[in-house]
Amino acid sequence: MTSIDGHVHSPYCPHGTGAAMEEYVKEAERKGIGILVFTEHAPLPEGFTDPVPEKDSAMKPENVRAYLEEGARLRREYAGRVDVRCGFEVDYIEGYEEETRRFLENHSEAAAHSILSVHFIKLPDGWFCLDYSADAFEEKAEEVGVEHLYEAYGLAMERAAGKPFGEVNPPVLGHLNLIHKFRRRIRPKTDPVNWTGILEKAAASGYVLDFNHAGLRKPDYRETYPEPWIAEEAERLGLKLQTGSDAHSPEDVGSGFAKE
Ligand SMILES: [Zn+2]
Ligand SMILES: [Zn+2]
């Protein structure tokens, strides 16, 4: 079976490395990965202010064209060696569905290779980026309660699992339980999220799950997203899982699942 890395970033990610997209493709070829999907963070919807201090969560709108063009060039260049595809990692942000849908409609070809993820949750005092840093997460958890962070995430993920963008909805649901990223450091006594319920909804929507191996590299988590029991539950419900590294640098392509 052809191996796939379905979740890879690029130099257009302002919080990643500057390595060229071609370096990721070369690494995929070296590791025997047959399909490489670039899923750069789509520009955040107009009117939404990036809550992280550096405002670098997503690519700039003016780079979208160059990104897609380079993806298309690499697809031609490596045809027969690596099947290069180019999509986006799109944020599900409640209240910005219209803007997000418009972006997907304007890039429907790339939408078909995209991932829908939740990185931002809505709290009483504004938006919060849940995977930015362990310190920020812990600080916020002390402020509003870690249970509340989990609950807000669970609600957003449940909405995302319902395929809110219809025809142009990304076919893959990103790192389902990203909220667990810092749980070796801080976690609620009992997990309030109904993971099985979310999986059932994702299955009914016909999603593929991002089997994201970046979690193995995170010191406060060290598991895949989803973690083994959720992955098993997903398979029981008929969901397909697609391996992804979430590489932000070329050497991480295939990390955790490809042979060296
Ligand atoms: Zn992500
Ligand atoms: Zn990613």
Side-chain angles (χ1 to χ4, degrees), residues 42-96:
L44 293 171
E46 214 176 301
F48 180 81
T49 307
D50 190 346
V52 315
E54 295 85 1
K55 308 248 178 293
D56 65 350
S57 294
M59 76 188 295
K60 295 187 177 69
E62 59 266 34
N63 287 334
V64 165
R65 198 176 162 157
Y67 165 68
L68 292 174
E69 280 175 2
E70 179 62 357
R73 184 189 75 80
L74 291 167
R75 178 167 179 78
R76 290 190 300 271
E77 182 89 18
Y78 284 81
R81 292 149 74 192
V82 182
D83 180 348
V84 179
R85 302 172 187 176
C86 203
F88 296 98
E89 181 172 15
V90 177
D91 273 281
Y92 174 69
I93 306 175
E94 194 193 335
Y96 292 84

Side-chain angles (χ1 to χ4, degrees), residues 7-9 13 15 39-41 89 115 117 119 131 175 210 212 214 245-248:
H7 190 152
V8 165
H9 290 271
C13 176
H15 61 265
T39 51
E40 193 48 85
H41 295 286
E89 181 172 15
I115 297 176
S117 297
H119 303 100
D131 65 327
H175 39 56
D210 171 29
N212 190 307
S245 66
D246 214 341
H248 282 71

Side-chain angles (χ1 to χ4, degrees), residues 91-92 97-98 100-101 104 116 163-170:
D91 273 281
Y92 174 69
E97 288 89 346
E98 240 174 80
T100 306
R101 178 188 288 270
L104 289 164
L116 190 64
K163 275 209 171 164
F165 305 113
E167 290 277 284
V168 288
N169 203 98

